Amino acid sequence: MASYVNFTADGDANKLVSSGFMLVPPPKSNTAPEIPLWVRVRRGPQKGQLVLDIAKVRHTWQYGYQVSNQRDEQGEIIWGDTIHATTRSKSNIIAGLQSVVTYWVRVRAMNGYGTGDWSEPVSGSTE
């Protein structure tokens, strides 16, 4: 009977609702998350700290971020292998940094379907 209703309604939500059957919510995204489009780094509350803010990315479980203060001879940022993780998009304290140094940070979003691409790097200076 349900397959007949689905066939007859042909995707029309009003017809499906009027059938009396319970509707299943549409599936959530089944893809890796998008790139964080807005990332901000600002001075932290104490010396040697930065605060990281990220615009929320839909269907994201956690964010990975990298921090660097080094560039190579061509001016490219040297990221290294360490990836930090957070489940929060606002007010993430990055501690243990050198004072009065400029750092670059990049962020990517993660969920059960994969890991998104890195954001563009943003910079901030510690006190």
Side-chain angles (χ1 to χ4, degrees):
M1 181 71 159
S3 60
Y4 172 77
V5 170
N6 279 329
F7 177 77
T8 305
D10 194 30
D12 184 343
N14 288 330
K15 288 181 183 176
L16 289 169
V17 169
S18 69
S19 71
F21 285 101
M22 284 185 43
L23 300 182
V24 176
K28 292 186 177 179
S29 171
N30 59 354
T31 60
E34 297 178 5
I35 299 171
L37 297 178
W38 183 84
V39 178
R40 179 176 71 169
V41 176
R42 53 191 163 92
R43 287 192 174 141
Q46 298 178 6
K47 286 187 177 188
Q49 291 185 345
L50 292 172
V51 178
L52 171 63
D53 296 312
I54 309 159
K56 282 189 175 184
V57 178
R58 291 180 348 143
H59 310 297
T60 295
W61 294 352
Q62 70 177 11
Y63 300 92
Y65 65 92
Q66 287 186 306
V67 180
S68 178
N69 66 348
Q70 299 176 357
R71 289 185 178 258
D72 64 15
E73 298 81 29
Q74 289 79 33
E76 297 293 320
I77 301 167
I78 301 170
W79 290 108
D81 296 327
T82 304
I83 300 175
H84 307 276
T86 182
T87 56
R88 296 171 37 181
S89 63
K90 302 286 184 211
S91 301
N92 293 284
I93 302 290
I94 304 172
L97 306 175
Q98 298 173 5
S99 295
V100 194
V101 174
T102 298
Y103 285 88
W104 293 272
V105 178
R106 66 180 181 174
V107 179
R108 64 184 180 185
M110 299 175 237
N111 66 18
Y113 295 103
T115 301
D117 292 329
W118 289 108
S119 68
E120 290 296 318
V122 295
S123 64
S125 297
T126 56
E127 280 191 49

